[in-house]
Amino acid sequence: MRITFFSTMQGFFGGEVHLLALASGMRRRGHRVDCVVRPGSALQERLLTAGVVTHCLPLTHWFDMATVGRLAALLRRTDAEILHSHLPRDYYTAATAGLACPVVNVGTRHQLHPIRVPWLKQPFLGRFQTMIAVSEAVRRGLLDAGALPAHRVVTVPNGTVLPPADSLSAGRDGPLRAACGAGPEDPLLGFVGRIAPEKGLATAIRAVAALSGNHPRLRLCVVGEESGAPGHLARLRGLAAELGVAERVHFLGYRADAARAPREFTVQVVPSRAEPFGLVTIEAMAWARPVVATLAGGSPEIVRDGVEGFLVPPGDWRRLAARLDALLESPGLAREMGRKGRLRVGRHFSEEAMLDRTERVYQAALAARQDQGREAAAG
């Protein structure tokens, strides 16, 4: 197949990790892959490093006819069959560009929040043969909006690669622990992701404060950068200082090796108010680390409460602290949950399973377009 991936994102977050894995994986499987990105974007560098053919166009990050024209011209030049978009703002550009060439539009929805004014966006979304939801929670949100019929919305969970088994116990003296002042045996809680209000870091900081008396060497390592809410990082620092745990909460910023961060953690915390899927969750489980996440969005589809970790209500720092305390007080329980989490990722959330499912989506989308063409010709 001839597959083109399209993204106007400048930064590099979960959706971009997903796109990079898909593009690299489809290329390995022998498909012709092109990627259309903005010059200087984080995706550009990583795609080129992965050996994926990358086209840098002066794209705007919202609908504009100049961007539509540039994309349509490239699609005609490369004779693309599938155009796969990953950002809501890019759906409209992709749908319009597809009018000028016989490309099949496929989208991935990484967002949990509902589609606003769906009646206005339906003409664009109706151009998509298939919309992929990264979790059943995201799929329900798409169907509730009524912008696409149910048979055009499918769930394909994110996937990740299992690290080698002999690397799981490493990380006791890694760079993140050193940056946080944590010794090899000190408990280190980890958070990986965007620093934004919906990610629930304030809840995690309150939990750390509640645990500090029983666990005097406890640290919280925050890997990620502020996104979408200027001043939120400063407010979190202020909260940590107010609660007397500023020296225990370490904001390390963006790390290119964030997917490897869990190897240094004792427990990974995913305190989001609503998580569409939770790529960071399966990355931690792949490293055999237990996860405490929230009963919101896609997290309950990944973590089974009491099996691979624990699930707590969003915003409930007391319950979060109690579950973390249970894991910190029982290293054997933490190891067993981590072991089960790694097995679950291998069975249900591997990168190869994600590629298999996505490949089938492409094949079905192309077949459906061909059927529609035959019906139109016959009618």
Side-chain angles (χ1 to χ4, degrees):
M1 288 181 283
R2 300 184 297 279
I3 308 162
T4 296
F5 294 92
F6 169 52
S7 175
T8 61
M9 177 60 78
Q10 201 72 33
F12 195 77
F13 302 105
E16 291 65 57
V17 172
H18 179 68
L19 188 157
L20 176 62
L22 278 179
S24 303
M26 292 300 169
R27 177 178 175 272
R28 286 197 308 271
R29 292 185 171 208
H31 302 293
R32 201 197 74 188
V33 174
D34 294 88
C35 290
V36 183
V37 299
R38 297 170 72 182
S41 65
L43 265 173
Q44 177 191 5
E45 177 185 348
R46 286 167 175 79
L47 288 165
L48 290 172
T49 300
V52 178
V53 175
T54 305
H55 307 270
C56 295
L57 298 181
L59 307 167
T60 61
H61 64 278
W62 194 243
F63 185 83
D64 122 285
M65 288 309 296
T67 296
V68 169
R70 294 185 189 106
L71 178 59
L74 188 142
L75 293 172
R76 288 193 297 268
R77 194 163 64 247
T78 58
D79 194 26
E81 292 180 293
I82 297 284
L83 176 59
H84 193 159
S85 310
H86 288 257
L87 296 173
R89 66 193 184 209
D90 292 345
Y91 299 159
Y92 316 113
T93 299
T96 309
L99 293 170
C101 51
V103 72
V104 174
N105 269 297
V106 173
T108 291
R109 179 82 175 173
H110 298 272
Q111 293 75 23
L112 197 58
H113 56 76
I115 296 175
R116 298 186 180 92
V117 289
W119 61 267
L120 182 63
K121 297 170 180 176
Q122 197 282 329
F124 296 94
L125 295 176
R127 294 283 306 167
F128 280 75
Q129 192 66 51
T130 307
M131 186 66 71
I132 297 171
V134 296
S135 66
E136 283 297 312
V138 171
R139 184 175 189 271
R140 287 193 296 271
L142 275 169
L143 295 181
D144 288 347
L148 283 164
H151 72 275
R152 289 197 183 186
V153 183
V154 301
T155 300
V156 178
N158 286 331
T160 193
V161 176
L162 288 177
D166 60 5
S167 67
L168 300 181
S169 61
R172 290 292 185 180
D173 56 353
L176 300 185
R177 282 184 167 268
C180 295
E185 303 304 322
D186 291 340
L188 183 63
L189 306 179
F191 170 94
V192 179
R194 295 184 299 111
I195 298 177
E198 66 271 17
K199 293 299 183 179
L201 258 174
T203 305
I205 291 171
R206 293 184 185 279
V208 168
L211 291 166
S212 59
N214 289 340
H215 302 279
R217 297 293 299 170
L218 180 66
R219 302 283 192 277
L220 172 63
C221 175
V222 179
V223 176
E225 57 188 355
E226 189 174 59
S227 171
H232 185 61
L233 175 57
R235 288 189 288 273
L236 291 174
R237 291 185 187 277
L239 176 63
E242 177 187 329
L243 296 174
V245 292
E247 77 285 355
R248 295 175 180 270
V249 181
H250 300 267
F251 296 92
L252 302 190
Y254 171 78
R255 307 278 298 206
D257 58 348
R260 294 175 57 82
R263 69 194 287 267
E264 300 187 44
F265 299 156
T266 309
V267 182
Q268 181 137 321
V269 186
V270 186
S272 308
R273 296 177 189 170
E275 191 70 35
F277 174 77
L279 182 59
V280 296
T281 301
I282 62 171
E283 287 173 343
M285 290 164 65
W287 282 102
R289 299 302 184 261
V291 176
V292 181
T294 52
L295 283 159
S299 292
E301 299 172 34
I302 305 171
V303 178
R304 295 174 295 181
D305 188 36
V307 181
E308 296 87 19
F310 292 114
L311 296 169
V312 301
D316 191 337
W317 60 266
R318 291 180 179 85
R319 186 77 65 85
L320 176 60
R323 292 309 196 191
L324 290 170
D325 189 53
L327 289 167
L328 296 175
E329 289 288 342
S330 178
L333 175 64
R335 283 193 299 272
E336 180 62 10
M337 285 185 163
R339 184 188 70 82
K340 290 178 178 177
R342 181 174 164 89
L343 287 173
R344 183 161 171 79
V345 169
R347 290 169 180 164
H348 301 285
F349 304 110
S350 71
E351 186 174 285
E352 290 306 310
M354 176 187 72
L355 292 171
D356 287 343
R357 293 165 179 157
T358 306
E359 210 168 34
R360 290 196 291 269
V361 167
Y362 293 158
Q363 291 163 349
L366 287 171
R369 172 62 65 88
Q370 291 168 359
D371 290 343
Q372 292 165 5
R374 283 193 290 268
E375 289 172 6

